[in-house]
Amino acid sequence: MTPTRALRRRAPRSDDRGAGTLEYIGVVAVVAVLVGALVLGFANSHYGENLSAQLCKITSAVDGGSCPVPPTERAPEDYVPPDACVVSSNGEESSTGLTVVVDVQGGETWLIEKLGDGTYRLTRARSGGVGIGVGVGFDFSATVDSQTYGLGATAKANVALVGGGGESYIATSEEQARNILDQKRNDETKDSLVGDDNPVRDGVDWLNDKLGGSNAYEQLDPDEWFVEAGIEGEASAGASTPLGTVGAEAAIEAYLGRTNRADGTSTDYLRAEMSIGGGMVGRGPNAQGYDTFINYTAEGSAGAVIEVDRDKDGNPVTFRIKSVLMGNATGDSSYSGPVEDDPEYTERTIDIPLDSATGRQTAARVLQAAGIPYYPGITDSVDIPQIAQDKLDPTALGRELGALAAARGHISEQTYTLGTSEDGFNAEGELGVQLGLSHSSITSSRSTSDYRYWDGTEMTDRAGCTA
């Protein structure tokens, strides 16, 4: 746990040995430019087309002139993104690291999301990784409610190969979701002690039932399950004192994965994120000399997700890109307790169908502009001049993607705040290589404040999607 670890906010995580840090930064940048420009600019221009068409109808009724054909209309419900929106969520991420030259990581994450259709989604995930880091300094600290206490000064960098997986369950209430979480943990405990399928396990389940417990959800099949692998890199410098922490941190992570569903469909995805943050958190005197809690920090992050949905036969049917941006600066003090200022995220999503040559060609150009030259079932060939043109001038590609999404796909934008609180400890020493032990538990709470989508005329509010 670095002195600035509490400044970093984490959001809801095939092997890609050929891709490096610069390629992942390119993915984030290209997706952010395409999605941001389309959602912010395309909607207004398309609204102007509709308005011009209606005005032309009025004038042509008088002078007998002709009018251009307005954009193709669809049924109102067809414009609504098919995925259930996330209204709010609560979760926890626990991680432990043991470093003796080589860093061995492991962790568990759970998240319960309230969806716009009234159901709740529980997602459980486990991850592990092996990495190596270099640095100088030492750090002995503990974190309580995101406030770090201890002593140390470090400067270090590390990189790790990380893999993991998990599953999701749809529940009718938050209580049911928490019951599933508890009983799945009970099932894993029983598996580790007495095995999964034998007479002893049958006896343990019977005794648990007779003592008032429940085995109802222990063998419940997930609605979705996923596996992923990727790389994480981080560089930081900072210091811990009895009065607080000061430092700076930069990080990048990228994952390739696949989500499978009980109905036989699946989604392949690439997600990448880069973040930077720094500042000072702790206690100190204000201008009048009174002891106060202070928070002078700045942070920002940019993330991108590229997804391809496949049908039961493995054929690609939908191409989707997402961009998530966050920027937050805090400069305040408080007499009563730690200063809290939850950052605000903006997530923009565009998807297009892949049931036509135009759709597949547009998706292929976006992939190639983002640094992914080939994807099975979408890219038939590699057009070097076209890739170069799209990289130098993504405006034309953006217009084509936007027109196709407005006509046959979906465009949406949502805003939410994400609050976190961290507890943990860290004990490490570094002189070229790292030696240490760390543990952290980060609880998170998300609340959606705005959700809009393209309805064929303008960006409009989506009902039931805000907290």
Side-chain angles (χ1 to χ4, degrees), residues 238-286:
S240 300
T241 72
L243 296 179
T245 63
V246 60
E249 180 180 81
I252 186 169
E253 61 182 50
Y255 281 83
L256 282 170
R258 167 172 285 192
T259 298
N260 296 290
R261 301 180 185 85
D263 62 4
T265 62
S266 62
T267 298
D268 296 329
Y269 62 87
L270 163 66
R271 62 180 183 86
E273 180 182 357
M274 53 186 180
S275 62
I276 188 169
M280 178 172 58
V281 179
R283 299 180 63 175
N286 61 8

CSV table of all heavy atoms in Angstrom, one decimal, residues 238-286:
chain,number,residue,atom,x,y,z
A,238,GLY,N,6.1,8.9,-2.4
A,238,GLY,CA,5.4,9.6,-1.4
A,238,GLY,C,6.0,9.3,0.0
A,238,GLY,O,7.0,8.6,0.1
A,239,ALA,N,5.3,9.9,1.0
A,239,ALA,CA,5.8,9.8,2.3
A,239,ALA,C,4.6,9.7,3.3
A,239,ALA,O,3.6,10.4,3.1
A,239,ALA,CB,6.7,11.0,2.7
A,240,SER,N,4.8,8.9,4.4
A,240,SER,CA,3.8,8.8,5.4
A,240,SER,C,4.4,9.4,6.7
A,240,SER,O,5.5,9.1,7.0
A,240,SER,CB,3.4,7.4,5.7
A,240,SER,OG,2.8,6.8,4.5
A,241,THR,N,3.6,10.2,7.4
A,241,THR,CA,4.0,10.8,8.7
A,241,THR,C,2.8,10.6,9.7
A,241,THR,O,1.7,10.3,9.3
A,241,THR,CB,4.3,12.3,8.6
A,241,THR,OG1,3.1,13.0,8.4
A,241,THR,CG2,5.3,12.5,7.4
A,242,PRO,N,3.1,10.8,11.0
A,242,PRO,CA,1.9,10.7,11.9
A,242,PRO,C,0.8,11.6,11.6
A,242,PRO,O,-0.3,11.4,12.1
A,242,PRO,CB,2.6,11.0,13.3
A,242,PRO,CG,4.0,10.6,13.1
A,242,PRO,CD,4.3,10.9,11.7
A,243,LEU,N,1.0,12.7,10.8
A,243,LEU,CA,0.0,13.6,10.5
A,243,LEU,C,-0.7,13.4,9.2
A,243,LEU,O,-1.8,14.0,9.0
A,243,LEU,CB,0.6,15.1,10.5
A,243,LEU,CG,1.2,15.6,11.8
A,243,LEU,CD1,1.8,17.0,11.6
A,243,LEU,CD2,0.1,15.6,12.9
A,244,GLY,N,-0.2,12.5,8.4
A,244,GLY,CA,-0.9,12.2,7.1
A,244,GLY,C,0.1,11.7,6.1
A,244,GLY,O,1.2,11.3,6.4
A,245,THR,N,-0.4,11.8,4.8
A,245,THR,CA,0.4,11.3,3.7
A,245,THR,C,0.5,12.4,2.6
A,245,THR,O,-0.4,13.3,2.4
A,245,THR,CB,-0.2,10.1,3.1
A,245,THR,OG1,-1.5,10.4,2.5
A,245,THR,CG2,-0.4,9.0,4.1
A,246,VAL,N,1.6,12.3,1.8
A,246,VAL,CA,1.7,13.2,0.6
A,246,VAL,C,2.4,12.3,-0.4
A,246,VAL,O,3.3,11.5,-0.1
A,246,VAL,CB,2.6,14.4,1.0
A,246,VAL,CG1,4.0,14.0,1.5
A,246,VAL,CG2,2.7,15.3,-0.2
A,247,GLY,N,2.0,12.5,-1.7
A,247,GLY,CA,2.6,11.7,-2.7
A,247,GLY,C,1.9,11.8,-4.0
A,247,GLY,O,1.0,12.6,-4.2
A,248,ALA,N,2.3,11.0,-5.0
A,248,ALA,CA,1.8,11.0,-6.3
A,248,ALA,C,1.8,9.6,-6.9
A,248,ALA,O,2.7,8.8,-6.5
A,248,ALA,CB,2.5,12.0,-7.3
A,249,GLU,N,0.9,9.3,-7.8
A,249,GLU,CA,0.8,7.9,-8.3
A,249,GLU,C,0.3,7.9,-9.7
A,249,GLU,O,-0.6,8.7,-10.1
A,249,GLU,CB,-0.1,7.1,-7.4
A,249,GLU,CG,-0.3,5.6,-7.8
A,249,GLU,CD,-1.2,4.9,-6.9
A,249,GLU,OE1,-2.4,5.0,-7.0
A,249,GLU,OE2,-0.6,4.1,-6.0
A,250,ALA,N,0.8,7.0,-10.6
A,250,ALA,CA,0.3,6.8,-11.9
A,250,ALA,C,0.1,5.3,-12.1
A,250,ALA,O,1.0,4.5,-11.7
A,250,ALA,CB,1.2,7.5,-13.0
A,251,ALA,N,-0.9,4.9,-12.8
A,251,ALA,CA,-1.1,3.5,-13.0
A,251,ALA,C,-1.8,3.2,-14.4
A,251,ALA,O,-2.5,4.1,-14.9
A,251,ALA,CB,-2.0,2.9,-11.9
A,252,ILE,N,-1.6,2.1,-14.9
A,252,ILE,CA,-2.3,1.6,-16.1
A,252,ILE,C,-2.6,0.1,-16.0
A,252,ILE,O,-1.8,-0.6,-15.4
A,252,ILE,CB,-1.4,1.9,-17.4
A,252,ILE,CG1,-2.2,1.6,-18.7
A,252,ILE,CG2,-0.1,1.2,-17.3
A,252,ILE,CD1,-1.5,2.1,-19.9
A,253,GLU,N,-3.7,-0.3,-16.5
A,253,GLU,CA,-4.0,-1.7,-16.5
A,253,GLU,C,-4.8,-2.0,-17.8
A,253,GLU,O,-5.5,-1.2,-18.3
A,253,GLU,CB,-4.9,-2.1,-15.3
A,253,GLU,CG,-6.2,-1.4,-15.2
A,253,GLU,CD,-7.0,-1.8,-13.9
A,253,GLU,OE1,-6.4,-1.7,-12.8
A,253,GLU,OE2,-8.1,-2.1,-14.0
A,254,ALA,N,-4.7,-3.3,-18.2
A,254,ALA,CA,-5.4,-3.7,-19.4
A,254,ALA,C,-5.7,-5.2,-19.3
A,254,ALA,O,-4.9,-6.0,-18.8
A,254,ALA,CB,-4.6,-3.4,-20.7
A,255,TYR,N,-6.9,-5.6,-19.7
A,255,TYR,CA,-7.3,-7.0,-19.6
A,255,TYR,C,-8.0,-7.4,-20.9
A,255,TYR,O,-8.7,-6.6,-21.5
A,255,TYR,CB,-8.4,-7.1,-18.4
A,255,TYR,CG,-7.8,-7.2,-17.1
A,255,TYR,CD1,-7.4,-6.0,-16.4
A,255,TYR,CD2,-7.5,-8.4,-16.4
A,255,TYR,CE1,-6.9,-6.1,-15.1
A,255,TYR,CE2,-7.0,-8.5,-15.2
A,255,TYR,CZ,-6.7,-7.3,-14.5
A,255,TYR,OH,-6.1,-7.4,-13.3
A,256,LEU,N,-7.8,-8.7,-21.2
A,256,LEU,CA,-8.6,-9.4,-22.2
A,256,LEU,C,-9.5,-10.4,-21.5
A,256,LEU,O,-9.0,-11.1,-20.6
A,256,LEU,CB,-7.7,-10.0,-23.3
A,256,LEU,CG,-7.1,-9.1,-24.3
A,256,LEU,CD1,-6.0,-9.9,-25.1
A,256,LEU,CD2,-8.2,-8.6,-25.3
A,257,GLY,N,-10.7,-10.6,-21.9
A,257,GLY,CA,-11.6,-11.6,-21.2
A,257,GLY,C,-12.8,-12.0,-22.1
A,257,GLY,O,-13.0,-11.4,-23.2
A,258,ARG,N,-13.5,-12.9,-21.5
A,258,ARG,CA,-14.7,-13.4,-22.1
A,258,ARG,C,-15.8,-13.6,-21.1
A,258,ARG,O,-15.5,-14.2,-20.0
A,258,ARG,CB,-14.5,-14.7,-22.9
A,258,ARG,CG,-15.8,-15.4,-23.3
A,258,ARG,CD,-15.6,-16.5,-24.3
A,258,ARG,NE,-15.4,-16.0,-25.6
A,258,ARG,CZ,-15.4,-16.8,-26.7
A,258,ARG,NH1,-15.7,-18.1,-26.6
A,258,ARG,NH2,-15.2,-16.3,-27.9
A,259,THR,N,-17.0,-13.2,-21.3
A,259,THR,CA,-18.1,-13.5,-20.5
A,259,THR,C,-19.1,-14.5,-21.1
A,259,THR,O,-19.4,-14.2,-22.3
A,259,THR,CB,-18.9,-12.2,-20.2
A,259,THR,OG1,-18.1,-11.2,-19.5
A,259,THR,CG2,-20.2,-12.5,-19.3
A,260,ASN,N,-19.4,-15.5,-20.5
A,260,ASN,CA,-20.3,-16.5,-21.0
A,260,ASN,C,-21.6,-16.4,-20.2
A,260,ASN,O,-21.7,-16.1,-19.0
A,260,ASN,CB,-19.7,-17.9,-20.9
A,260,ASN,CG,-18.5,-18.1,-21.7
A,260,ASN,OD1,-18.5,-18.2,-22.9
A,260,ASN,ND2,-17.4,-18.2,-21.0
A,261,ARG,N,-22.8,-16.8,-20.9
A,261,ARG,CA,-24.1,-16.7,-20.2
A,261,ARG,C,-24.8,-18.0,-20.3
A,261,ARG,O,-24.5,-18.9,-21.2
A,261,ARG,CB,-24.9,-15.6,-20.9
A,261,ARG,CG,-24.3,-14.2,-20.9
A,261,ARG,CD,-25.1,-13.2,-21.6
A,261,ARG,NE,-24.4,-11.9,-21.6
A,261,ARG,CZ,-23.5,-11.6,-22.5
A,261,ARG,NH1,-23.3,-12.4,-23.5
A,261,ARG,NH2,-22.9,-10.4,-22.5
A,262,ALA,N,-25.7,-18.2,-19.4
A,262,ALA,CA,-26.4,-19.5,-19.3
A,262,ALA,C,-27.2,-19.8,-20.6
A,262,ALA,O,-27.5,-20.9,-20.9
A,262,ALA,CB,-27.4,-19.4,-18.1
A,263,ASP,N,-27.6,-18.7,-21.4
A,263,ASP,CA,-28.4,-19.0,-22.6
A,263,ASP,C,-27.5,-19.4,-23.8
A,263,ASP,O,-28.0,-19.5,-24.9
A,263,ASP,CB,-29.3,-17.8,-22.9
A,263,ASP,CG,-28.4,-16.5,-23.2
A,263,ASP,OD1,-27.2,-16.6,-23.2
A,263,ASP,OD2,-29.1,-15.5,-23.4
A,264,GLY,N,-26.2,-19.4,-23.6
A,264,GLY,CA,-25.3,-19.9,-24.6
A,264,GLY,C,-24.6,-18.7,-25.4
A,264,GLY,O,-23.7,-18.9,-26.1
A,265,THR,N,-25.0,-17.5,-25.1
A,265,THR,CA,-24.4,-16.3,-25.8
A,265,THR,C,-23.1,-15.9,-25.0
A,265,THR,O,-22.9,-16.4,-23.8
A,265,THR,CB,-25.3,-15.1,-25.8
A,265,THR,OG1,-25.7,-14.7,-24.5
A,265,THR,CG2,-26.6,-15.5,-26.6
A,266,SER,N,-22.3,-15.1,-25.6
A,266,SER,CA,-21.0,-14.7,-24.9
A,266,SER,C,-20.6,-13.3,-25.4
A,266,SER,O,-21.1,-12.8,-26.3
A,266,SER,CB,-19.9,-15.7,-25.2
A,266,SER,OG,-19.7,-15.7,-26.6
A,267,THR,N,-19.7,-12.7,-24.6
A,267,THR,CA,-19.1,-11.4,-25.0
A,267,THR,C,-17.6,-11.5,-24.8
A,267,THR,O,-17.1,-11.8,-23.7
A,267,THR,CB,-19.7,-10.3,-24.1
A,267,THR,OG1,-21.1,-10.2,-24.4
A,267,THR,CG2,-19.0,-9.0,-24.5
A,268,ASP,N,-16.8,-11.1,-25.9
A,268,ASP,CA,-15.4,-10.9,-25.8
A,268,ASP,C,-15.1,-9.5,-25.5
A,268,ASP,O,-15.8,-8.6,-26.0
A,268,ASP,CB,-14.7,-11.4,-27.1
A,268,ASP,CG,-14.9,-12.8,-27.4
A,268,ASP,OD1,-15.0,-13.6,-26.4
A,268,ASP,OD2,-14.9,-13.2,-28.5
A,269,TYR,N,-14.1,-9.2,-24.6
A,269,TYR,CA,-13.9,-7.8,-24.3
A,269,TYR,C,-12.4,-7.5,-24.1
A,269,TYR,O,-11.6,-8.4,-23.7
A,269,TYR,CB,-14.7,-7.3,-23.1
A,269,TYR,CG,-14.4,-8.1,-21.8
A,269,TYR,CD1,-13.3,-7.6,-21.0
A,269,TYR,CD2,-15.1,-9.2,-21.4
A,269,TYR,CE1,-13.1,-8.3,-19.8
A,269,TYR,CE2,-14.8,-9.8,-20.2
A,269,TYR,CZ,-13.8,-9.4,-19.4
A,269,TYR,OH,-13.5,-10.0,-18.3
A,270,LEU,N,-12.0,-6.2,-24.4
A,270,LEU,CA,-10.8,-5.7,-24.0
A,270,LEU,C,-11.1,-4.4,-23.2
A,270,LEU,O,-11.8,-3.6,-23.6
A,270,LEU,CB,-9.9,-5.3,-25.2
A,270,LEU,CG,-8.8,-4.3,-25.0
A,270,LEU,CD1,-7.7,-5.0,-24.1
A,270,LEU,CD2,-8.2,-3.8,-26.3
A,271,ARG,N,-10.5,-4.3,-22.0
A,271,ARG,CA,-10.7,-3.1,-21.2
A,271,ARG,C,-9.3,-2.6,-20.8
A,271,ARG,O,-8.4,-3.3,-20.4
A,271,ARG,CB,-11.6,-3.3,-20.0
A,271,ARG,CG,-11.1,-4.3,-19.0
A,271,ARG,CD,-12.1,-4.5,-17.9
A,271,ARG,NE,-11.6,-5.4,-16.8
A,271,ARG,CZ,-10.9,-5.0,-15.8
A,271,ARG,NH1,-10.5,-3.8,-15.7
A,271,ARG,NH2,-10.5,-5.9,-14.9
A,272,ALA,N,-9.2,-1.3,-20.8
A,272,ALA,CA,-7.9,-0.6,-20.4
A,272,ALA,C,-8.3,0.6,-19.6
A,272,ALA,O,-9.3,1.3,-19.9
A,272,ALA,CB,-7.1,-0.3,-21.6
A,273,GLU,N,-7.4,1.0,-18.7
A,273,GLU,CA,-7.6,2.2,-17.9
A,273,GLU,C,-6.2,2.7,-17.5
A,273,GLU,O,-5.3,2.0,-17.2
A,273,GLU,CB,-8.4,1.8,-16.6
A,273,GLU,CG,-8.6,3.0,-15.7
A,273,GLU,CD,-9.3,2.7,-14.4
A,273,GLU,OE1,-9.7,1.5,-14.2
A,273,GLU,OE2,-9.5,3.6,-13.6
A,274,MET,N,-6.2,4.1,-17.5
A,274,MET,CA,-5.0,4.7,-17.0
A,274,MET,C,-5.4,5.8,-16.0
A,274,MET,O,-6.5,6.4,-16.2
A,274,MET,CB,-4.1,5.3,-18.1
A,274,MET,CG,-4.9,6.2,-19.1
A,274,MET,SD,-3.8,6.7,-20.5
A,274,MET,CE,-4.9,7.7,-21.4
A,275,SER,N,-4.6,6.0,-15.0
A,275,SER,CA,-5.0,7.0,-13.9
A,275,SER,C,-3.8,7.7,-13.4
A,275,SER,O,-2.7,7.2,-13.5
A,275,SER,CB,-5.8,6.3,-12.8
A,275,SER,OG,-5.0,5.3,-12.2
A,276,ILE,N,-4.1,8.8,-12.8
A,276,ILE,CA,-3.0,9.6,-12.2
A,276,ILE,C,-3.6,10.4,-11.0
A,276,ILE,O,-4.8,10.8,-11.1
A,276,ILE,CB,-2.3,10.6,-13.2
A,276,ILE,CG1,-1.1,11.2,-12.5
A,276,ILE,CG2,-3.3,11.6,-13.7
A,276,ILE,CD1,-0.2,11.9,-13.5
A,277,GLY,N,-2.9,10.5,-9.9
A,277,GLY,CA,-3.4,11.2,-8.8
A,277,GLY,C,-2.2,11.7,-7.8
A,277,GLY,O,-1.1,11.1,-7.9
A,278,GLY,N,-2.5,12.6,-7.0
A,278,GLY,CA,-1.5,13.1,-6.1
A,278,GLY,C,-2.1,14.1,-5.1
A,278,GLY,O,-3.1,14.7,-5.3
A,279,GLY,N,-1.3,14.5,-4.1
A,279,GLY,CA,-1.7,15.5,-3.2
A,279,GLY,C,-1.3,15.2,-1.8
A,279,GLY,O,-0.4,14.4,-1.5
A,280,MET,N,-2.1,15.8,-0.8
A,280,MET,CA,-1.8,15.6,0.6
A,280,MET,C,-3.1,15.4,1.3
A,280,MET,O,-4.1,16.1,1.1
A,280,MET,CB,-1.1,16.9,1.1
A,280,MET,CG,-0.8,16.9,2.6
A,280,MET,SD,0.2,18.4,3.0
A,280,MET,CE,-0.9,19.7,2.5
A,281,VAL,N,-3.1,14.4,2.2
A,281,VAL,CA,-4.3,14.1,3.0
A,281,VAL,C,-3.8,13.9,4.5
A,281,VAL,O,-2.8,13.2,4.7
A,281,VAL,CB,-5.0,12.8,2.6
A,281,VAL,CG1,-6.1,12.4,3.5
A,281,VAL,CG2,-5.4,12.9,1.1
A,282,GLY,N,-4.4,14.5,5.4
A,282,GLY,CA,-4.0,14.3,6.8
A,282,GLY,C,-4.6,15.3,7.8
A,282,GLY,O,-5.7,15.8,7.6
A,283,ARG,N,-3.8,15.7,8.8
A,283,ARG,CA,-4.3,16.7,9.8
A,283,ARG,C,-3.2,17.8,9.9
A,283,ARG,O,-2.0,17.5,9.8
A,283,ARG,CB,-4.5,16.0,11.1
A,283,ARG,CG,-5.6,14.9,11.1
A,283,ARG,CD,-5.8,14.3,12.4
A,283,ARG,NE,-6.3,15.3,13.4
A,283,ARG,CZ,-6.6,14.9,14.6
A,283,ARG,NH1,-6.5,13.7,15.0
A,283,ARG,NH2,-7.0,15.8,15.5
A,284,GLY,N,-3.7,19.0,10.2
A,284,GLY,CA,-2.7,20.1,10.4
A,284,GLY,C,-3.5,21.3,10.8
A,284,GLY,O,-4.7,21.4,10.7
A,285,PRO,N,-2.7,22.4,11.2
A,285,PRO,CA,-3.4,23.6,11.6
A,285,PRO,C,-3.8,24.4,10.4
A,285,PRO,O,-3.2,24.4,9.4
A,285,PRO,CB,-2.2,24.3,12.4
A,285,PRO,CG,-1.0,23.8,11.8
A,285,PRO,CD,-1.3,22.4,11.4
A,286,ASN,N,-5.0,25.1,10.6
A,286,ASN,CA,-5.4,26.0,9.6
A,286,ASN,C,-4.8,27.4,9.8
A,286,ASN,O,-3.9,27.6,10.7
A,286,ASN,CB,-7.0,26.1,9.6
A,286,ASN,CG,-7.6,26.6,10.9
A,286,ASN,OD1,-6.8,27.0,11.8
A,286,ASN,ND2,-8.9,26.5,11.0
